[in-house]
Amino acid sequence: MKACSNVTDDHRKRITYILYVVGFLDFLGVAMVVPLIPRHTKELGTSPTVIGLIGSLYGGIQLFTGPILGKWSDVVGRRWSLLWCFSFSAVGYAVLGFSATLSVLVIARFILGLFKHTMSLGKAYMADITPKEERPAVYGRLNSISGLGFIIGPTLGGHIAETEDGFNSVCLLAAIMFFISYVITWYCITPVEPDNITRTESEGRFVLEDLNLNPFTFFKTFRHILVGQYDLFIIKFLMGFAVLVYRSNFSLMLEHEYGTGPKMNGYIISFGSAAGVISGMLVGKVIEIYKHEGKVLLHASILQFIVILALTFAPNMWVVMFLQAPLSFANALSRVTCADLSIRRGRATEVGAVIGLSQSVMSFARMITPAIGGVISEFSYHGPCILAAFFALSGIFTLIIFPQDEAVLKKKIN
């Protein structure tokens, strides 16, 4: 898909930079809160299994709402979709800040599960305005700049959390971040329609007919995308599951095995995020050197497996901290290559739907990994890491069975 010819280079760059800023604020707000949720939930008197189940609620809701909101954005436009998601995400984090009971916490996670699709919608907007040859580099920079939020967020959130009513303050600050993003989007981002897009009659009626959670209608609406990209979705799930299950109870594992606290956990997570920022900046150059996204994805999966295996036997927290760098590098490579391959294999009218379905793959992983990680952690806090290594290895074998080379890509597109 070409970039919109009705968007000048200066306009496209301005929108891209604005989306970088919005992505940074998005990740900053999330990174301040997410590492604190397991600890806050535990303080409400729950077990690791319940903590995992509550985490699964978020992913379970996003499993269905991701493709629906993505498809909706294809119809009504990216800007309005972003505005709705930013506003309700701000509400969700504000409610989370006042979650003195488990029921209120569940309500907050439910709201966020419905509407926290801001990054995927931002990527869809970028896909509309960015030439395909520039897309990996643009996505890499987006991941890097937004990843800065994961450097600052955990440390900032950890420090604030140790003050009186710290969790409440952190959540309200995150809500402010999303409100600021809403204001920026309202005043600085203009609607853009990709060129040569002829919407089908069914797409024109989508809002009235297809916007429902009936599973049969859901799969019928997105069937051709699922059929055309099932192999890539499987690969994305396996690699994503490996990272997510490893991180599912990461903070609790650090506290139990190495005696760390919120501040030290924040430093460790921030170090990994810093490595992710640097990695994201290098993704475009790495793909340019390889000239083959399939090989990049395969080598990233191999690196992921080796690092997770090493993390399983890490003797101290300093080794754990050091290994966050190569893990972040592998994750950055796989995220960008999977996203770009999915868009290239989809239709120009369905960028939002493709990204939404891709997001749903990760949402499914997010739905099951907290529960699985919580149950395994009842027996051993290193259990999630062992399971992660198994899934990373499965990702390697799947890439060997379904190679993502150019010949296969062209065949699937045609």
Side-chain angles (χ1 to χ4, degrees):
M1 183 180 70
K2 296 180 180 179
C4 304
S5 60
N6 60 336
V7 178
T8 64
D9 286 341
D10 289 342
H11 187 198
R12 177 170 60 84
K13 290 179 180 178
R14 183 175 68 84
I15 294 176
T16 301
Y17 292 144
I18 292 170
L19 289 172
Y20 287 159
V21 173
V22 168
F24 167 75
L25 293 174
D26 186 312
F27 271 35
L28 176 61
V30 172
M32 288 191 301
V33 176
V34 169
L36 304 175
I37 292 177
R39 183 185 183 92
H40 177 68
T41 310
K42 186 177 180 181
E43 290 174 350
L44 296 178
T46 61
S47 66
T49 300
V50 175
I51 293 173
L53 290 173
I54 292 174
S56 296
L57 172 68
Y58 175 83
I61 297 170
Q62 291 219 321
L63 173 65
F64 292 99
T65 57
I68 290 175
L69 281 174
K71 182 88 171 177
W72 186 52
S73 75
D74 287 332
V75 177
V76 304
R78 313 292 184 213
R79 180 174 177 269
W80 281 109
S81 303
L82 279 168
L83 288 170
W84 278 98
C85 288
F86 279 131
S87 60
F88 278 99
S89 293
V91 172
Y93 279 106
V95 173
L96 184 64
F98 294 100
S99 57
T101 64
L102 192 61
S103 58
V104 177
L105 188 147
V106 169
I107 291 172
R109 297 298 284 169
F110 183 83
I111 295 172
L112 292 169
L114 285 174
F115 294 101
K116 178 57 184 75
H117 297 283
T118 47
M119 284 301 294
S120 59
L121 292 175
K123 287 182 178 180
Y125 199 116
M126 284 184 167
D128 290 342
I129 64 175
T130 305
K132 65 179 182 180
E133 62 273 10
E134 298 179 19
R135 199 180 295 138
V138 169
Y139 278 172
R141 286 192 290 270
L142 173 64
N143 291 339
S144 292
I145 294 171
S146 58
L148 289 171
F150 268 107
I151 298 176
I152 303 170
T155 303
L156 178 61
H159 279 273
I160 297 175
E162 295 193 355
T163 63
E164 185 177 357
D165 294 326
F167 184 77
N168 176 277
S169 300
V170 171
C171 291
L172 291 180
L173 184 56
I176 292 172
M177 298 292 178
F178 281 92
F179 176 74
I180 293 173
S181 295
Y182 176 93
V183 174
I184 292 174
T185 302
W186 178 269
Y187 285 104
C188 301
I189 294 182
T190 55
V192 173
E193 181 75 14
D195 293 333
N196 303 320
I197 299 299
T198 302
R199 303 205 179 277
T200 65
E201 183 180 352
S202 63
E203 287 175 316
R205 299 195 310 264
F206 170 73
V207 176
L208 295 177
E209 294 184 358
D210 293 340
L211 191 58
N212 63 75
L213 295 180
N214 184 301
F216 296 103
T217 303
F218 177 85
F219 285 111
K220 181 180 178 181
T221 303
F222 300 98
R223 179 174 55 192
H224 68 276
I225 300 177
L226 291 168
V227 171
Q229 302 197 28
Y230 70 91
D231 55 332
L232 190 56
F233 288 160
I234 291 173
I235 293 165
K236 186 178 181 69
F237 169 77
L238 292 173
M239 297 185 68
F241 181 94
V243 174
L244 288 170
V245 76
Y246 165 69
R247 293 176 175 170
S248 58
N249 282 322
F250 185 62
S251 297
L252 294 179
M253 183 274 290
L254 290 175
E255 293 178 15
H256 183 272
E257 297 293 329
Y258 306 110
T260 61
K263 286 184 181 179
M264 191 63 203
N265 292 346
Y267 289 133
I268 293 174
I269 296 171
S270 293
F271 176 79
S273 300
V277 168
I278 298 172
S279 301
M281 291 294 185
L282 298 175
V283 166
K285 183 62 65 175
V286 170
I287 294 176
E288 183 181 335
I289 294 172
Y290 268 75
K291 301 184 186 302
H292 196 306
E293 289 182 318
K295 287 183 179 179
V296 174
L297 188 57
L298 175 61
H299 292 171
S301 67
I302 293 172
L303 177 61
Q304 182 191 73
F305 169 70
I306 293 173
V307 173
I308 291 177
L309 193 64
L311 283 165
T312 306
F313 303 101
N316 54 62
M317 69 175 184
W318 300 110
V319 175
V320 172
M321 178 180 285
F322 172 78
L323 290 175
Q324 298 306 302
L327 182 62
S328 296
F329 182 62
N331 192 33
L333 289 173
S334 63
R335 286 169 58 194
V336 172
T337 51
C338 281
D340 193 48
L341 285 169
S342 288
I343 293 172
R344 289 167 61 191
R345 287 166 61 168
R347 299 173 183 172
T349 58
E350 298 176 334
V351 172
V354 168
I355 293 179
L357 268 177
S358 182
Q359 179 67 25
S360 278
V361 173
M362 295 306 299
S363 296
F364 178 65
R366 290 189 185 96
M367 178 181 71
I368 62 177
T369 50
I372 293 174
V375 171
I376 295 176
S377 296
E378 298 276 9
F379 302 95
S380 170
Y381 279 97
H382 283 297
C385 202
I386 296 172
L387 184 62
F390 172 78
F391 272 81
L393 183 62
S394 299
I396 296 173
F397 285 121
T398 306
L399 273 165
I400 294 173
I401 297 171
F402 300 106
Q404 301 297 303
D405 55 46
E406 292 298 323
V408 172
L409 178 60
K410 291 178 181 177
K411 181 178 178 181
K412 289 183 179 294
I413 292 176
N414 296 330

